[in-house]
């Protein structure tokens, strides 16, 4: 079977090759990497070639023509960054400069990222529908829930969104309790980067109250250190790590704005050094750069809260590439698996219509994912989720129609912006600094 990665020049692509090559029962025998940047594609191809020296993986083909890359493929993994890291830097700085949260997917940054990404994703989806109508599309492009919902308008249920944040939370919570993740059931619900772990059931017993009641146990969980035990007990749940930006917005703005550089600026500097530097021993240089990226992930949050360094298991990889491979295995081999995915709601969460994309546990087999029944969201969760679904859909409509006024509306109604004046200032800054957005907002 063939897997095509759209965004094949992305830095984390070798993680996918490594996961495929280390699969004891290989399901993918051909990997096609597509990217619009031939130089990045060659550099990542060199890393994969070096990886192949001590492992047998799928054959690899590099492509810069989208139709040729996806024609007849079985699976498409989509991980693109429209506007590049420069666009991310503008997302962060445009918000910070007007006193708002400057973060990639949460707040104003996620809205701007979505505005310029949706039209490209729709064009990709149209190509896939034309030359690979039976392919399954696995979307990791952020904002993952919003982008998945946009792509579904073209490809329907064959688009599935993934994120590694929930599985990381599950793994850490289970480990703190001395439980293997595969021996537990996790009740988790919300939207991408906006969900809560509400139950952790082992042998029919919910162990989450035990975890929440114990400071020593919570101290073993990064989210416990990030949010603090008192707040988690108040919520009665463990939030996705990205909810720190909601529950500690002022602290987040101070931490990010007070740093020497934003996360985007750090990555821009690192990527420039990596992709333009000497490529002697490409695998070693890639591993060193990857480790530094992982160690500094959400660094401002951990420094501001005293959460400490990331756990070694989280630094080793096995995140999004592991979720993607588990999903491919379940579909290709028709082996039932439970995964948290971004899928059509279909009545799973009350208060949202059937076509809304939600992030919930699913049973997956050859027919794709089926959301598992979920308890209703708590009112404090429901309010944020409903508001953010409206924001996401306004972003999609603004991108489809090229409407500047709808783009301003999406920003102004976002709870982490909540100001028409600031929304207009951000859009003006984006239109001045990000060419990809100027091509979208034409009305």
């Amino acid at each position: 079977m063939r897997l095509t990665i759209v965004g094949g020049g992305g830095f984390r692509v070798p993680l996918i090759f490594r996961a495929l090559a280390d699969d004891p029962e290989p399901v993918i025998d051909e990997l096609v990497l597509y990217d619009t940047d031939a130089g990045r594609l060659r550099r990542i191809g060199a890393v994969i070639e070096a990886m192949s020296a001590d492992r047998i993986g799928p054959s690899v083909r590099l492509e810069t023509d989208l139709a040729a890359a996806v024609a007849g493929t079985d699976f498409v993994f989509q991980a693109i960054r429209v506007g590049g890291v420069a666009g991310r830097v503008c997302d962060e700085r445009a918000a910070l400069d007007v006193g708002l949260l400057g973060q990639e997917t949460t707040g104003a940054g996620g809205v701007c990222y979505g505005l310029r990404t949706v039209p490209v994703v729709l064009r990709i989806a149209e190509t896939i529908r034309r030359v690979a109508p039976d392919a399954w599309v696995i979307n990791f492009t952020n904002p993952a829930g919003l982008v998945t919902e946009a792509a579904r308008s073209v490809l329907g249920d064959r688009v599935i969104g993934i994120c590694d944040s929930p599985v990381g939370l599950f793994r850490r919570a289970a480990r703190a309790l001395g439980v293997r993740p595969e021996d537990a059931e996790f009740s988790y619900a919300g939207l991408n980067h906006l969900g809560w772990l509400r139950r952790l059931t082992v042998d029919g017993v919910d162990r989450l109250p035990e975890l929440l009641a114990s400071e020593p146990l919570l101290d073993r969980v990064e989210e416990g250190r990030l949010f603090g035990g008192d707040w988690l007990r108040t919520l009665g749940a463990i939030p996705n790590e990205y909810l720190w930006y909601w529950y500690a917005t002022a602290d987040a703005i101070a931490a990010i704005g007070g740093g020497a550089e934003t996360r985007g600026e750090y990555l821009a500097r690192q990527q420039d050094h990596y992709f333009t530097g000497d490529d002697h021993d490409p695998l070693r240089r890639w591993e060193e750069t990857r480790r530094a990226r992982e160690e500094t992930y959400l660094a401002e949050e951990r420094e501001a809260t005293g959460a400490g360094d990331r756990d070694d298991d989280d630094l080793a990889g096995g995140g999004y590439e592991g979720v993607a491979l588990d999903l491919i295995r379940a579909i290709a081999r028709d082996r039932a698996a439970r995964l948290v995915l971004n899928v059509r709601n279909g009545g799973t969460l009350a208060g949202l219509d059937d076509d809304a994309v939600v992030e919930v546990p699913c049973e997956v087999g050859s027919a794709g994912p089926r959301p598992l029944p979920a308890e209703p969201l708590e009112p404090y969760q429901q309010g944020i989720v409903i508001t953010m679904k409206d924001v996401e859909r306004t972003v999609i409509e603004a991108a489809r129609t090229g409407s500047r006024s709808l783009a301003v509306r999406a920003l102004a109604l976002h709870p982490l912006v909540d100001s028409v004046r600031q929304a207009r200032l951000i859009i003006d800054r984006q239109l001045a600094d990000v060419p990809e957005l100027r091509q979208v907002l034409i009305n």
Side-chain angles (χ1 to χ4, degrees), residues 16 19-20 23 27-28 320-330:
I16 301 175
L20 294 172
D23 187 358
V27 66
I28 298 297
Y320 86 120
E321 72 280 4
V323 179
L325 185 53
D326 286 344
L327 179 56
I328 289 172
R329 282 197 201 103

Side-chain angles (χ1 to χ4, degrees), residues 70 72-76 128 131-138 155 158-159:
V70 299
T73 197
D74 300 287
F75 294 93
V76 176
I128 293 170
V131 302
D134 295 327
W136 289 94
V137 178
I138 303 170
L155 296 168
R158 299 191 81 82
V159 182

Side-chain angles (χ1 to χ4, degrees), residues 19-71:
L20 294 172
D22 293 346
D23 187 358
E25 298 180 72
V27 66
I28 298 297
D29 51 34
E30 182 182 6
L31 179 64
V32 180
L33 306 184
Y34 162 79
D35 206 285
T36 57
D37 188 326
R40 289 176 63 106
L41 196 59
R42 287 193 298 270
R43 182 64 64 100
I44 294 301
V47 175
I48 290 175
E49 184 177 0
M51 277 186 172
S52 301
D54 60 358
R55 50 173 49 88
I56 299 174
S59 64
V60 178
R61 173 162 57 96
L62 309 183
E63 281 285 355
T64 55
D65 180 271
L66 177 62
V70 299

Side-chain angles (χ1 to χ4, degrees), residues 352-384:
L352 295 173
D353 63 78
D354 286 348
D355 289 330
V357 166
V358 295
E359 188 168 86
V360 293
C362 299
E363 191 85 26
V364 187
S366 61
R370 178 181 61 83
L372 297 171
E375 300 171 1
L377 294 171
E378 294 291 329
Y380 77 87
Q381 301 164 344
Q382 182 95 326
I384 299 175

Side-chain angles (χ1 to χ4, degrees), residues 129-348:
R129 182 169 66 177
R130 177 168 53 85
V131 302
D134 295 327
W136 289 94
V137 178
I138 303 170
N139 177 66
F140 191 68
T141 299
N142 278 321
L146 184 159
V147 168
T148 299
E149 186 155 332
R152 276 185 49 83
S153 68
V154 178
L155 296 168
D157 290 340
R158 299 191 81 82
V159 182
I160 305 164
I162 68 170
C163 181
D164 53 354
S165 287
V167 71
L169 169 57
F170 297 174
R171 187 169 54 220
R172 291 186 287 270
R175 189 167 60 230
L177 289 165
V179 173
R180 297 192 312 165
E182 56 268 33
D183 293 335
E185 293 185 7
F186 303 90
S187 173
Y188 178 95
L191 306 180
N192 179 240
H193 289 181
L194 193 71
W196 296 262
L197 175 60
R198 304 176 298 168
R199 290 183 185 274
L200 194 167
T201 305
V202 182
D203 295 329
V205 177
D206 180 12
R207 301 280 301 274
L208 188 61
E210 174 188 346
L211 178 57
L212 294 177
S214 172
E215 287 293 339
L217 291 181
L218 282 176
D219 196 50
R220 302 178 190 175
V221 182
E222 186 167 317
E223 288 79 3
R225 302 190 298 270
L226 185 65
F227 293 102
D230 286 345
W231 182 238
L232 296 186
R233 285 186 286 275
T234 298
L235 294 177
I238 301 182
N240 183 294
E241 59 197 350
Y242 280 84
L243 272 154
W244 187 76
Y245 297 116
W246 292 81
Y247 297 146
T249 309
D251 298 331
I253 293 170
I256 297 171
E261 58 186 358
T262 67
R263 176 67 173 172
E265 288 164 344
Y266 166 78
L267 292 176
R269 177 170 54 81
Q270 188 197 55
Q271 288 195 15
D272 182 66
H273 174 73
Y274 175 77
F275 281 107
T276 62
D278 176 56
D279 201 25
H280 178 68
D281 198 353
L283 181 55
R284 180 186 60 80
R285 289 194 70 242
W286 176 81
E287 285 283 15
E288 291 174 350
T289 306
R290 183 196 67 80
R291 182 82 181 191
R293 286 168 63 105
E294 296 292 347
E295 288 173 345
T296 56
Y297 178 67
L298 299 184
E300 297 94 347
E301 298 88 325
R302 287 184 281 106
E303 183 176 351
T305 59
D309 295 335
R310 298 193 72 197
D311 296 337
D312 287 342
D313 286 352
D314 294 323
L315 296 175
Y320 86 120
E321 72 280 4
V323 179
L325 185 53
D326 286 344
L327 179 56
I328 289 172
R329 282 197 201 103
I331 293 174
R333 297 176 181 154
D334 195 21
R335 293 184 183 175
R338 285 195 174 186
L339 301 169
V340 174
L341 302 169
N342 286 265
V343 295
R344 180 178 182 270
N345 182 38
T348 305

